[in-house]
Amino acid sequence: MTSNGRSSPSSTSQSPLSPNLSQPNITVVNTTSVGGSITTTTTATSTTSTTNNGTPIQGTLSTSVINTVNAATAAAAVAVATAAANNGNQLSLLNGGSKSKKLVEFILLAEFDILQGSKVKYQYPYPIATGEMELMLSEYMLPDGAHKRNDDWTVFFLNRPVPEGGALTASKSPEKSKNNNNNNNSSSSSSPSSPNNQNNKSPQIDSKSSEKQISSPVEAFIYSFSETDEEKGWVMLDSEKLKVEFYQSHILIGSPTSGVFSTKIEKHADLEFTQLEPLFDCVLTDSSTALGIRFLELSEEKIFLEHLTRMISEVQAEQQNGSNKSESPETSPTTTNPSTTTEENTTIDPTTNTSTNTNTNTTTATTTENIQPTNTTTTTTTTTTEGENNTTKDSKDSKDPSISETPEDQKCKDFLYCLSFMNNQKDDTVKRGAVVKSMAICTTHPFISIFKPFIVLAMQKYFSNPSLDVIVELYNSLNSLDMTTVPQLNDIQKHILRSSPDRNKHIHATTITYLGNKMPLYIPITYFPDEVGDYKVIGLVQKFGNDVMKIFNGVLSQKRIIFLGYGCGADEICNYVLAACSMVCPPLKGTRERCFPNINLHHQILIDKLPPSTGVILGVSNPVFEERSEWWDILCNIGTGKVILNPSLVTEIPDKFQQYDNDFMAEVNYNISAHYGEDKIKSLFQEYTQHIVDMALDEEEFLDDQQRQLAIDANHQRIEAWTKTKTFSTYLFDKENTKRTSAIRDHTILSSIRKLRKKKHIPEKEVLKIYHSFLNSIKTEEQVTEFLSYLPKSHGGLFPVAVGLFHKSDEVRYATCQLLRILDKFQSGNAFISGLNPFLKTSYERTLRIQELLQSK
């Protein structure tokens, strides 16, 4: 069953995707620019009928949807004309274009430290993130549970467009001075004492908080990390479990019997935590002491992490509002000589004379608010980390020209796709018995999977020679490729190549010399901006079955979706998230901007700043997310294969489109069982999306009026939902821009092709008129290319047009032959004609010979 002929829905199931919506109708918009002024005329062309109160008659769209489409189409036409009047500079940016000519923009190196947690050591060629965003960056690169796997892959995005009503940057906050000097072992009333104290007990706080507890207490074993004796590592503060009490501004830890509390975790700018393993968490207290908390029950750990996350979020909010100035020690920018060398990772901004240092032995200044690259250079000298017992001297310092200052106008501000490889190597000489490092490649191109063999080799070399030289060598090798030799295709060309049966035309094959070896590189050239890597929709379908349509409708209607993979690798989680996005892209654009393939509770601080309407798509491994139902509309449990709808969104209104979706999934499952590949399955979902979009814009053709009525009635709810999303307005903008730049000026060509493809009976005069419009519009190679893009292989290729060779009318047969003859003159058209079935091909050759004979006479 095809996507344009679905059965009538009969289900009465419930779903959260039945929205209460209102917004834009099908229009013809003519926009002209005269003397710099823009004139737009809008004419409604819809034949939709409604009752007097605005409710739709069966088989038609409602007045609210029609008006929404009309208004949005007019707005898109004005936006395109405005962008064109500004020399077109905005068009490429609005369409996800990139000005970069490099294969790779950045290479990052992160590692895990037992005391400091995840940290970024190198950002080459210059820092893209500093301050709080640098911490977020390290958490992206070293996902939860990394220590339990030998290696793992994860994907993250940087330089995201800031959505309306939200921000994707960490709050600006002064960093507090951290002092972990071994000579400073004085006790603090707010943190455990040194493990050298008798019985390893902390000094006692004699009275409990005057505040009221905000939830029930839990019990856990508490540890402190021994800095004076590395062999001891984590030292238990008490042989018995201690009580953990939760208050609005702090957490108290102490004896459950005596009621005397020995440790207080307060809200402060440096409060952070890391889950070292399930049920064991590390918290950095106000005095920079690392506490370890071991829980016996997962539910108790969830409660603890929820309160920590809340406290961190409140600190961020207070800092953003400036309300924390009286609570935090004031810090001022420190004047720093750019040539000064300090321990660990110091980034220096010569434009502001401000330094940011991630070393706990150095007093730091202010952090940077934006994730956009800052004008900084990185200097590193001696570094002692968990994986390196011996002090090593990095080969690059601030004077090295390879990490010189980068002018602001030369910094990359394009959307970045980042692929990170985490490697966990056993080493009995270090504290945890293993060394964990991660390397990431950041690029403006979505085909990130091609970098995997290079990152693996570079990581192996870095473990044997941990220096910046390894990163510089990889960066230079990858960017030795001349990107001007790689075909840069527009959307039309990509669609045509996808229709080609020759898979070799989908890639550009080349080589890159790395580590003295020529390595093959196969660059996909037909990827769209939202198709990231080589992640599989087939795997998504096999995991969630027919429930995958709940995910599909959630992505389409911009719902908040979480993929929970407790105990799963980050690579597996990322696969499901990115595959979900690719179900609707193309034809839609923009899911990458709301996609976070793998995050943890640290990143939730950023997510909380986004308006719920953003419809984020998250990949997580922490089960806390499942408990926080206010964070999601749809929860996809990778472990169970179940898709859960948020109860608050389930209504009594049945989703009419469920049976429609079931019929579609029958087609998908048949193709999977018939061993069709990923391209075929992905194309089915993308065509199904296009079918819904065309119905929304009243551009879909049906076999007859009855089929139209059934389809519109079944899909009206989700059409209305889609008109409320950002992808809706983006789609209309692209559509209007395509009209402006189209090589074929007759904009009825596509609808005529659809009519030939789907209508059972078309009057002979109308058929002849259609073929004459083809002949009048298609003369140049560019026009042929655009025409062929309307005839994808998945829809029969040339068949709907070539079948005119069998028409009863001599004139239609003659016009069809003339059309094919024009196509045959060009390479792209010749490939399509070669793919015709033998009957059509033979008929074309016979008709062509007859015409040539007649012309010779």
Side-chain angles (χ1 to χ4, degrees), residues 635-671:
L635 180 78
C636 312
N637 192 313
I638 296 172
T640 63
K642 301 294 184 183
V643 178
I644 304 170
L645 305 179
N646 194 305
S648 65
L649 296 177
V650 176
T651 68
E652 298 298 326
I653 303 174
D655 276 339
K656 294 182 178 181
F657 53 74
Q658 185 179 39
Q659 185 57 46
Y660 206 78
D661 286 348
N662 289 342
D663 294 336
F664 166 69
M665 282 306 300
E667 182 182 358
V668 171
N669 291 326
Y670 168 78
N671 280 272

Side-chain angles (χ1 to χ4, degrees), residues 443 522 596:
T443 175
Y522 301 100
F596 298 78

Side-chain angles (χ1 to χ4, degrees), residues 733-744:
F733 179 92
D734 284 346
K735 190 171 182 291
E736 291 302 317
N737 186 44
T738 299
K739 285 183 180 179
R740 186 185 69 86
T741 59
S742 176
I744 299 176

